[in-house]
Amino acid sequence: MRSTPSRRATATGALIAAAALLTVGVQAGTATAQPDTAPAAPVAGKADPGALPRDLSPAQRAALIREADATKAATAKDLGLGTQEKLVVRDVLQDVDGTTHTRYERTYKGLPVLGGDLVVAATKAGATQSVSKASQSALKDVATTADIAPAAAEKQALSAAAADGSKKAEADRAPRKVVWMAQGKPTLAFETVVGGLQHDGTPNELHVVTDAATGKKIYEWQGVETGVGNTQYSGQVSIGSTQSGSTYNLTDGTRGSHKTYNLNRGTSGTGTLFSNSTDVWGNGAPANLETAGADAAYGAGETWDYFKNVHGRTGIRGDGVGAYSRVHYSSGYVNAFWQDSCFCMTYGDGTGNAKPLTSIDVAAHEMSHGVTANTAGLVYSGESGGLNEATSDIFAAAVEFYANSPQDPGDYLVGEKIDINGNGTPLRYMDKPSKDGASKDYWYSGIGSVDVHYSSGPANHWFYLLSEGSGAKVVNGVSYNSATSDGLPVTGIGRAKAEQIWFKALATKFTSTTNYAAARTGTLAVAGELYGTASAEYKSVADAWAGIAVGTRPGGGGGGGGTVFESTTAVTIPDAGAAVTSTVNVTGITGNAPAALQVGVDITHTWRGDLVIDLVAPDGTAYRVKNSSSGDSADNVVETYTVNASSEVANGAWKLRVQDVAAQDVGRINSFKLTF
């Protein structure tokens, strides 16, 4: 998805269509799964068994969805939604203790609401525990009559698509009226989708949102998110196939009938289902077209097994239906991608058609985009887009460790087998993302404007730190050395626990607009549910976030001492009003401020996503420490930020500048401190 200069907004998870491994030309009745016995009491270091997900069969999940659908009108009333709003059930998950997490989308007067998704967690008794919303705006008084013609919106979309390489003369999907609710006041708009191909041959699914009153483009995003077998990367393995008479084909009947097709260098359709007179596929060499098919089928099978056996999710959608894979896309195509519109993975053969992008981690990466699309629906742009990409990298590593292939052992490297750089180096590194030359190691206020394949770096880094801890170590023969932004150590809790926390947060806490701050909030909430807020696991989750410059460590920390200057004068923050400041006067410090100046902020506010916060140096230079975000739904800002202020003279009046940029919520600055 690509952000536009006019508005870098976010949208509902239903917008997620596909995902590729690499950056491309654009940025762009009740079901009972287990006996209802009381779970055992939590044990230190072990997850609360009641908070773990139930292993729901597709039929049990469907029954929960039917029940949620039957009660959605009552749920809407309980949530205080307007009479013109209706809920649409998208997914239901359930914990062992009976807690049910229901994900909804919304309509307004029959129109789809983009950015209106929410998750309701309810106890076994039916009491609402929590509600996570992609937007807090009130959905009311939205016009439903457009002032511009649909043709004007289509023309705008075709022009935008042409800039990306599409030669389409008409939209693939005619403009449809929607309510855009991703940021600010809900607005009537048209959504138009244009197909074709992008400049590098990747399929195009460009979505353009046009204001139905003014004709101005609000947003655009790219829907294609760029992302016995004798295999090339995993040696000889068992893969699922089906026999019909004397013919075998690559249809895995034990995993939702996942099928593997040969596009034979084509770029459309499904191609030909791989079939053979024997149940032996490929010879390990790329020249044999069955080899890539065997790799893709094996990767898909291992990914299916991982999500089912580790997280209790049967298939990408949880409905027991397998996706399908297409190999040999185009010629010399150096990419792979997931498309939600076809519910399929597609793989190119790499440079010279010699290195198909069908290794285990690439297959898992692409399929995990489908899991994200069918859970949180993280929008593929800005910080949520980076988290979307990171989710695929995280589960790519998880599946690779799970598969435990001697030829491709688990590691914290992405795409190390496909030699995409031509020099044997991986595509991405999780312990130190910047080693690839473009990814970011730590969060900073402008990271939302970076390509999502590189803004994923901090979340990948967080996962590595939480799994293995900071410092130098060797895992499966690979050497890692991971540093932290605050210079303090992080104690790892093990990869299995880190995977568990991330998946549950993705499935039950994140929404389409979740950013880094909200991801921290969601994972801490899950760590608390599983292990308790006083546990070592909870502390490590917070420490790992602080280690990538998101939030502070429990009990403080992050600077190892220093001279503290603080203001405790309360300053009221007006609702949707002018910026206010709190001042700290620094004296007695020789020279310039440090490169890692700690900025301690304590703000009470009923919706922190409304706030924009800057540190203003004595000479007037402003350093952004927090942007506003409709997905940042937590209360209050109690954080320690790090600013590189080494170009500033230390002594003088430093100001914390805070502005509430949206209506309905109020707050105050309680205190502000600087540590030199």
Side-chain angles (χ1 to χ4, degrees), residues 515-592:
N515 59 11
Y516 270 94
R520 176 184 182 273
T521 300
T523 52
L524 281 171
V526 167
E529 292 170 4
L530 291 171
Y531 299 101
T533 56
S535 65
E537 289 81 3
Y538 187 92
K539 182 179 186 303
S540 285
V541 170
D543 287 350
W545 282 116
I548 63 162
V550 179
T552 187
R553 293 173 181 252
T563 304
V564 177
F565 299 86
E566 184 173 12
S567 170
T568 57
T569 302
V571 179
T572 299
I573 304 170
D575 183 31
V580 296
T581 60
S582 176
T583 302
V584 164
N585 291 302
V586 176
T587 59
I589 302 296
T590 302
N592 286 3

Side-chain angles (χ1 to χ4, degrees), residues 367-409:
M367 290 182 74
S368 295
H369 275 302
V371 173
T372 297
N374 287 278
T375 52
L378 291 161
V379 175
Y380 207 60
S381 180
E383 292 192 22
S384 61
L387 293 171
N388 187 318
E389 269 297 308
T391 296
S392 282
D393 284 349
I394 286 168
F395 290 129
V399 171
E400 194 174 72
F401 276 104
Y402 174 85
N404 196 28
S405 166
Q407 282 74 29
D408 189 5

Side-chain angles (χ1 to χ4, degrees), residues 340-644:
D340 207 44
S341 58
C342 68
F343 202 57
C344 69
M345 293 83 69
T346 304
Y347 305 92
D349 285 331
T351 303
N353 296 323
K355 289 281 186 177
L357 280 79
T358 50
S359 60
I360 295 174
D361 54 354
V362 175
H365 176 105
E366 301 309 336
M367 290 182 74
S368 295
H369 275 302
V371 173
T372 297
N374 287 278
T375 52
L378 291 161
V379 175
Y380 207 60
S381 180
E383 292 192 22
S384 61
L387 293 171
N388 187 318
E389 269 297 308
T391 296
S392 282
D393 284 349
I394 286 168
F395 290 129
V399 171
E400 194 174 72
F401 276 104
Y402 174 85
N404 196 28
S405 166
Q407 282 74 29
D408 189 5
D411 52 51
Y412 294 96
L413 310 172
V414 180
E416 73 281 358
K417 287 288 187 180
I418 57 178
D419 193 23
I420 206 159
N421 299 316
N423 58 7
T425 59
L427 177 60
R428 288 189 283 276
Y429 305 78
M430 301 183 82
D431 65 319
K432 187 175 177 56
S434 61
K435 287 174 67 175
D436 66 13
S439 292
K440 309 303 178 184
D441 292 331
Y442 311 119
W443 180 89
Y444 62 96
S445 60
I447 200 165
S449 63
V450 176
D451 181 293
V452 296
H453 298 84
Y454 308 137
S455 64
S456 63
N460 281 342
H461 192 187
W462 173 87
F463 178 76
Y464 175 85
L465 287 170
L466 185 62
S467 298
E468 303 292 345
S470 55
K473 52 183 54 65
V474 177
V475 181
N476 278 355
V478 180
S479 296
Y480 304 97
N481 194 349
S482 195
T484 59
S485 63
D486 57 7
L488 296 179
V490 172
T491 301
I493 64 173
R495 187 182 59 259
K497 290 180 180 179
E499 294 169 18
Q500 179 188 66
I501 289 169
W502 189 260
F503 179 81
K504 185 169 183 180
L506 178 78
T508 68
K509 306 298 181 186
F510 294 177
T511 69
S512 62
T513 62
T514 293
N515 59 11
Y516 270 94
R520 176 184 182 273
T521 300
T523 52
L524 281 171
V526 167
E529 292 170 4
L530 291 171
Y531 299 101
T533 56
S535 65
E537 289 81 3
Y538 187 92
K539 182 179 186 303
S540 285
V541 170
D543 287 350
W545 282 116
I548 63 162
V550 179
T552 187
R553 293 173 181 252
T563 304
V564 177
F565 299 86
E566 184 173 12
S567 170
T568 57
T569 302
V571 179
T572 299
I573 304 170
D575 183 31
V580 296
T581 60
S582 176
T583 302
V584 164
N585 291 302
V586 176
T587 59
I589 302 296
T590 302
N592 286 3
L597 176 63
Q598 291 178 69
V599 185
V601 178
D602 186 338
I603 293 174
T604 298
H605 197 273
T606 50
W607 185 265
R608 56 176 284 160
D610 291 354
L611 301 180
V612 175
I613 305 175
D614 295 299
L615 175 68
V616 183
D619 67 356
T621 301
Y623 297 85
R624 178 63 50 86
V625 298
K626 181 189 177 302
N627 278 318
S628 62
S629 171
S630 61
D632 191 0
S633 60
D635 294 339
N636 310 327
V637 181
V638 183
E639 308 279 357
T640 298
Y641 300 98
T642 301
V643 170
N644 183 354

